[in-house]
Amino acid sequence: MNWKKTLFSIGIIVIILVGGWTMFNIANQKLVNQDYSLSKFTKVDIDIPTGSISIN
C-alpha cells in the first residue's frame, strides 16, 4: 500500500469518527420549554454555560 492510499484511508476514518461524534452530540441535546405566569418585571438575569434563551 503506498502512502497516498494510506493517507486517504486515514482521512476517511477521521471523517467517519468526527461525523459519528457530531451526530451523537446532536442526538443528546436537551430542549427545555418552561412557561410561567408572572406579574410585570423589570429585569431578567440568566446565567447558563451554553445554549440560547428566548423570552417572548
Side-chain angles (χ1 to χ4, degrees):
M1 193 181 259
N2 61 26
W3 67 273
K4 288 182 182 180
K5 287 183 180 179
T6 303
L7 187 60
F8 180 75
S9 297
I10 291 172
I12 293 298
I13 291 171
V14 168
I15 289 171
I16 291 171
L17 290 175
V18 169
W21 180 75
T22 302
M23 293 303 291
F24 178 77
N25 282 337
I26 289 172
N28 285 333
Q29 288 182 356
K30 189 187 303 183
L31 178 62
V32 178
N33 290 323
Q34 295 179 342
D35 293 331
Y36 296 101
S37 177
L38 302 171
S39 59
K40 292 183 180 180
F41 56 91
T42 58
K43 182 179 179 184
V44 177
D45 186 12
I46 301 170
D47 184 17
I48 59 170
T50 60
S52 62
I53 297 177
S54 297
I55 299 176
N56 300 324

